[in-house]
Amino acid sequence: MQRLREAELEKQKQAEGREKLRNLNTIQEEILQLNQLLEPSTQTITDLPPSSLSSYSSRGNQLCSQVSEVVRKTAQGEFPSAEDMTAADRALHDMRDLIHLMQQEVTKAQERKKKKQEQEKELWKQQELQAQQDVQRKAQQLTIEKAPKKGLQNSADSVTISWFKELQDSAVRCTQTIEPLSSSKDSQTKKLKLELQKAATIPVSQISSNSGRKLKEIFNKINNLLLGQSVVSGGKPISSSQHPLALNFISYKLAEKFVKQGEEEVASHHEAAFPIAVVASGIWELHPHVGDLILAHLHKKCPYAVPHYPPMKDGTPVEEYQRILGYRVDDNGVEGQDSFLKRMSGMIRFYAAIIQLRWPFGSKQGSTPHGLEHGWRWLAQMLNMEPLADITATLLFDFLEVCGHAMMTRYQSQFWKVLLLLKEEYFPRIEAVTSSGERGSIIRLKQFLETSLQRRQISPPKGQLTSTFWMSYE
């Protein structure tokens, strides 16, 4: 029995020894494979500095030598002991930690390299943009510098007046084109006209800053209507394909409604300018004829958006001239100055929002349909014209409060030069034509100019739409 037990124990010992040997060989195979990853020629670690490569390689070879020493004992017919297996396991564990550490360093090195490449690319883009802006600034500065050389004008320059007249002529042609639809006596046609008008104008009146998702739905509905697709309005489907003149009629009424929202909604709630303007800008980009009609309606209701101070022609009745200047005139007479200034302010704020906004879900290819360069043109033209009491100070303040931050960001030092010119040379002219009862507007403008120039900073306007807005739900 003793001999049988000894034979059984010997047999068990031999089996355990062979199992340890197999485990040892597996450890050696894995540690040699891992060590190959530490070779300087390996593609994945080329981003590491030579000193790190040498350190990792030396440590890897050291761990391989420890395992090889254990394996060498087995070549003499011995099985590895428990201490040998512990040493081999520890070496394998250290090798894995070494590989993990190296991979972390490689990842960090690659991230640094990628960041450096991105920074170099961004720097190159900025240099390209800077070069383009320098060219623009020189041209724009020439526009501003003309003022002291030839004195201020009483009206806009010939190019601006020509542009204004072309837009008005285009709008008149549009009204003439849609005349058969808009003035039809046929009951079915009159009903269709009303439905088309509602389909065009109701979505615009629903624009608000409550929900980004809702704003996208409104934009898509307007865009689909202009594309000739069927949309639901008043619970019924309607499409511009239902009448040959429907598309022109919808475009005209849509542009008219956008401007009316500026005149009424923005005038009462300044922050409403941004959701209305971003939808208008997006529609303008996809349907340029609507953009031209928006400008035509805006210029007709608010000639200061051109900017244009229409002169009074001989034989023009006083009430008609007041309408040309933008005043509302009805059977009760001419509206009050406060009401007039409030409406003009709303439309200028709407315009100042449009020129800095772009629909964020468009193709973004090419330039914006009516961008900040038009804001620069407007400001330069205003400063080249003799100021009018009350209206000039009011609109300059409204425009700069909405658009000043965007123009500061785009034009930088050139913009500050213009603001300094406005404060030191143009503002005294505004004061000279302002009576004591109309001081509120120039006080606001003066405070804005002094604060902005002192801090050399203009805060973003209130109500500006942020990236989180577009993810919002009602």
Side-chain angles (χ1 to χ4, degrees):
M1 290 295 292
Q2 181 68 27
R3 284 196 298 273
L4 283 173
R5 278 197 300 272
E6 289 174 354
E8 187 64 32
L9 288 171
E10 182 63 26
K11 184 178 178 182
Q12 185 178 346
K13 184 179 177 183
Q14 290 291 327
E16 290 175 351
R18 285 192 293 272
E19 181 63 26
K20 287 180 181 177
L21 191 57
R22 279 194 295 272
N23 289 341
L24 181 61
N25 290 332
T26 301
I27 289 172
Q28 185 185 34
E29 183 178 350
E30 182 179 350
I31 205 167
L32 289 173
Q33 287 176 347
L34 292 175
N35 193 46
Q36 289 178 356
L37 298 175
L38 299 172
E39 291 299 318
S41 60
T42 305
Q43 194 72 24
T44 56
I45 60 174
T46 52
D47 293 317
L48 292 180
S51 58
S52 294
L53 289 175
S54 176
S55 173
Y56 284 121
S57 182
S58 298
R59 178 58 179 157
N61 290 334
Q62 186 181 10
L63 293 171
C64 285
S65 297
Q66 291 176 10
V67 176
S68 297
E69 186 64 31
V70 175
V71 173
R72 197 175 297 115
K73 293 179 182 178
T74 64
Q76 301 169 2
E78 297 180 15
F79 289 125
S81 64
E83 291 79 5
D84 291 335
M85 292 305 298
T86 300
D89 281 332
R90 190 184 303 113
L92 178 59
H93 184 268
D94 289 348
M95 178 64 86
R96 287 171 178 164
D97 286 345
L98 188 67
I99 293 294
H100 181 66
L101 188 64
M102 182 203 70
Q103 288 173 338
Q104 284 183 323
E105 190 172 346
V106 167
T107 301
K108 289 179 181 177
Q110 289 173 341
E111 286 174 353
R112 286 194 298 270
K113 183 178 179 181
K114 184 180 178 182
K115 188 175 180 181
K116 184 179 178 183
Q117 290 173 341
E118 288 174 350
Q119 288 173 340
E120 289 174 350
K121 188 177 180 181
E122 185 63 28
L123 180 62
W124 180 81
K125 282 184 179 178
Q126 288 176 355
Q127 289 172 344
E128 282 282 302
L129 182 62
Q130 188 68 39
Q132 292 174 3
Q133 288 177 347
D134 287 343
V135 173
Q136 289 179 353
R137 285 171 189 155
K138 286 177 183 176
Q140 289 152 356
Q141 187 62 22
L142 286 174
T143 306
I144 298 298
E145 289 172 353
K146 286 179 183 177
K149 293 177 183 176
K150 62 180 184 180
L152 299 186
Q153 309 300 304
N154 291 317
S155 62
D157 61 45
S158 59
V159 175
T160 302
I161 296 297
S162 175
W163 173 60
F164 164 70
K165 288 180 177 178
E166 284 174 9
L167 288 170
Q168 295 307 309
D169 291 343
S170 176
V172 169
R173 287 194 297 273
C174 185
T175 56
Q176 292 170 347
T177 300
I178 63 177
E179 180 71 15
L181 173 59
S182 57
S183 302
S184 175
K185 303 297 183 183
D186 177 71
S187 59
Q188 287 298 108
T189 306
K190 287 170 73 174
K191 183 181 178 183
L192 175 62
K193 179 195 77 170
L194 187 60
E195 289 173 350
L196 288 170
Q197 184 167 334
K198 286 181 178 178
T201 58
I202 289 176
V204 179
S205 64
Q206 293 172 336
I207 293 173
S208 72
S209 57
N210 291 339
S211 161
R213 186 181 181 186
K214 180 67 175 175
L215 202 60
K216 283 187 270 188
E217 289 174 359
I218 291 171
F219 175 88
N220 291 333
K221 190 171 186 177
I222 297 171
N223 184 41
N224 290 339
L225 185 64
L226 290 167
L227 290 173
Q229 298 176 15
S230 179
V231 299
V232 176
S233 177
K236 296 187 295 185
I238 191 163
S239 163
S240 61
S241 62
Q242 291 176 245
H243 194 283
L245 300 177
L247 182 58
N248 285 333
F249 180 81
I250 289 168
S251 300
Y252 188 88
K253 290 298 177 182
L254 181 63
E256 186 181 56
K257 183 62 175 178
F258 271 122
V259 175
K260 192 171 183 180
Q261 286 297 96
E263 181 185 17
E264 296 176 357
E265 182 65 17
V266 178
S268 300
H269 307 96
H270 291 170
E271 294 181 9
F274 292 93
I276 297 169
V278 77
V279 174
S281 178
I283 294 297
W284 191 333
E285 188 167 357
L286 296 175
H287 309 277
H289 62 287
V290 177
D292 289 343
L293 288 169
I294 288 174
L295 281 177
H297 282 292
L298 180 65
H299 291 170
K300 187 172 183 178
K301 285 197 168 187
C302 177
Y304 316 100
V306 178
H308 176 44
Y309 302 155
M312 187 173 183
K313 297 178 181 178
D314 292 339
T316 304
V318 175
E319 288 187 353
E320 180 57 27
Y321 180 60
Q322 287 172 323
R323 284 194 185 94
I324 293 172
L325 290 176
Y327 287 87
R328 280 178 174 167
V329 183
D330 54 25
D331 295 339
N332 297 321
V334 183
E335 71 175 321
Q337 186 71 358
D338 288 345
S339 171
F340 166 73
L341 289 174
K342 184 179 179 182
R343 290 190 304 104
M344 297 302 112
S345 171
M347 287 185 277
I348 284 295
R349 284 177 176 273
F350 168 65
Y351 181 65
I354 276 189
I355 61 177
Q356 63 180 297
L357 292 175
R358 190 169 195 175
W359 183 248
F361 306 100
S363 63
K364 296 188 179 178
Q365 293 179 349
S367 58
T368 53
H370 198 79
L372 273 177
E373 65 275 11
H374 289 276
W376 183 274
R377 178 200 57 77
W378 184 88
L379 187 57
Q381 187 70 69
M382 283 288 284
L383 300 187
N384 274 331
M385 295 164 65
E386 287 288 355
L388 300 179
D390 224 0
I391 186 71
T392 300
T394 297
L395 299 189
L396 280 172
F397 170 76
D398 289 325
F399 180 85
L400 290 171
E401 188 175 58
V402 175
C403 200
H405 177 78
M407 293 191 72
M408 172 197 72
T409 305
R410 166 78 73 85
Y411 298 112
Q412 299 175 22
S413 61
Q414 295 302 313
F415 176 71
W416 292 115
K417 288 180 183 178
V418 173
L419 229 57
L420 192 62
L421 173 74
L422 168 53
K423 177 179 177 291
E424 294 184 352
E425 297 186 29
Y426 195 75
F427 188 79
R429 289 177 179 264
I430 298 176
E431 286 186 306
V433 299
T434 304
S435 65
S436 58
E438 302 167 335
R439 304 292 294 180
S441 58
I442 69 166
I443 290 172
R444 287 192 295 273
L445 178 60
K446 185 178 182 180
Q447 288 175 342
F448 178 87
L449 293 172
E450 288 177 348
T451 303
S452 300
L453 287 165
Q454 184 179 358
R455 297 177 180 173
R456 205 162 176 82
Q457 180 66 34
I458 297 177
S459 301
K462 293 179 180 178
Q464 198 171 47
L465 304 180
T466 61
S467 56
T468 54
F469 165 78
W470 297 106
M471 297 180 283
S472 64
Y473 295 79
E474 283 186 329

